Amino acid sequence: SYVLTQPPSVSVAPGQTARITCGGNNIGSKSVHWYQQKPGQAPVLVVYDDSDRPSGIPERFSGSNSGNTATLTISRVEAGDEADYYCQVWDSSSDHPDVVFGGGTKLTVL
Amino acid sequence: QVQLVQSGAEVKKPGASVKVSCKASGYTFTSYDINWVRQATGQGLEWMGWMNPNSGNTGYAQKFQGRVTMTRNTSISTAYMELSSLRSEDTAVYYCARVGAVAGISWFDPWGQGTLVTVSS
């Protein structure tokens, strides 16, 4: 089955740029979606189809995807961005399409 | 606005079944697949399966095959997820989530608020 690998944690100072990676075999050929989850809350979509932003999500959130790595970039990080972030793809390599989530990355704002 | 509202917390004994509901509003219920995802305390997101509310067709993650059933009642725009033969490892928050595009294989937006299912003797 397809595996997505995320770093367990990323730390960044306020105002700096955070980059959260999501590794997978030839992930560049798939559409990657990213979710933000704050404690006690449901996940919220922040980037879809590699680099598109839902309405209401700040322009500070952006995404890219190439080769074996997808990246969520958060510019000018704010204290309110502290959360867990998950990447997600659909794996259609078998006759049974499955959803795969990365293990999640805890973003800490120093 | 598009919204998914789930049923309340449940406490079940090992071996029992639980049925969680997910009521949709703000859009045409039969036009978008509903997926179910669970999350154990302190753990990551685990996908359970999808259901097409129009046809009733379903697709389940291999891990849950034979134990999960996803259904719907289109007259009240509500999706259901039933998990049987519960064990302690099934203690988790269960989320429903709508796909973002009519095509089905896409992102999840929005999500329900989550339903805590506790399995304990």
Side-chain angles (χ1 to χ4, degrees), chain A residues 26-42:
Chain A
N26 197 26
I27 194 174
S29 68
K30 301 181 183 297
S31 289
V32 180
H33 319 300
W34 291 91
Y35 304 89
Q36 175 193 71
Q37 186 180 34
K38 296 182 179 179
Q41 298 183 18

Side-chain angles (χ1 to χ4, degrees), chain A:
Chain A
S1 61
Y2 195 76
V3 175
L4 294 176
T5 302
Q6 296 183 236
S9 63
V10 168
S11 299
V12 64
Q16 300 304 303
T17 297
R19 293 179 179 84
I20 299 172
T21 59
C22 176
N25 184 35
N26 197 26
I27 194 174
S29 68
K30 301 181 183 297
S31 289
V32 180
H33 319 300
W34 291 91
Y35 304 89
Q36 175 193 71
Q37 186 180 34
K38 296 182 179 179
Q41 298 183 18
V44 172
L45 179 73
V46 293
V47 167
Y48 66 97
D49 281 352
D50 298 339
S51 59
D52 290 335
R53 257 188 333 274
S55 60
I57 300 300
E59 291 184 8
R60 300 184 297 104
F61 289 81
S62 62
S64 63
N65 184 20
S66 178
N68 293 318
T69 305
T71 303
L72 173 69
T73 301
I74 309 172
S75 304
R76 302 180 299 283
V77 166
E78 302 173 357
D81 298 331
E82 189 162 284
D84 294 326
Y85 291 85
Y86 296 89
C87 57
Q88 176 244 315
V89 301
W90 279 85
D91 176 25
S92 303
S93 57
S94 69
D95 58 356
H96 189 271
D98 284 339
V99 169
V100 181
F101 287 100
T105 298
K106 180 175 181 57
L107 175 66
T108 299
V109 181
L110 301 171

Side-chain angles (χ1 to χ4, degrees), chain B residues 4 22-34 51-54 71-80 98:
Chain B
L4 301 175
C22 171
K23 183 171 178 59
S25 61
Y27 72 98
T28 302
F29 176 64
T30 51
S31 293
Y32 296 84
D33 290 359
I34 293 286
M51 181 196 65
N52 182 304
N54 184 46
T71 58
R72 87 293 191 209
N73 183 334
T74 57
S75 67
I76 56 172
S77 299
T78 300
Y80 302 93
R98 197 199 78 169

Side-chain angles (χ1 to χ4, degrees), chain B:
Chain B
Q1 75 283 19
V2 176
Q3 194 173 9
L4 301 175
V5 178
Q6 299 182 220
S7 48
E10 303 262 13
V11 179
K12 296 293 183 180
K13 293 192 182 303
S17 296
V18 67
K19 191 171 186 178
V20 179
S21 68
C22 171
K23 183 171 178 59
S25 61
Y27 72 98
T28 302
F29 176 64
T30 51
S31 293
Y32 296 84
D33 290 359
I34 293 286
N35 284 247
W36 290 87
V37 177
R38 77 178 187 180
Q39 184 175 38
T41 302
Q43 303 300 308
L45 302 173
E46 182 176 33
W47 178 72
M48 300 180 70
W50 61 267
M51 181 196 65
N52 182 304
N54 184 46
S55 63
N57 289 345
T58 56
Y60 303 138
Q62 194 165 6
K63 174 177 180 176
F64 299 102
Q65 289 272 4
R67 271 211 311 147
V68 70
T69 305
M70 296 177 187
T71 58
R72 87 293 191 209
N73 183 334
T74 57
S75 67
I76 56 172
S77 299
T78 300
Y80 302 93
M81 186 283 299
E82 184 170 20
L83 188 62
S84 62
S85 302
L86 290 170
R87 34 206 188 236
S88 59
E89 310 89 88
D90 294 318
T91 295
V93 175
Y94 290 75
Y95 295 101
C96 62
R98 197 199 78 169
V99 296
V102 175
I105 297 181
S106 73
W107 56 94
F108 299 152
D109 182 44
W111 295 58
Q113 83 276 18
T115 296
L116 175 62
V117 175
T118 302
V119 183
S120 174
S121 54

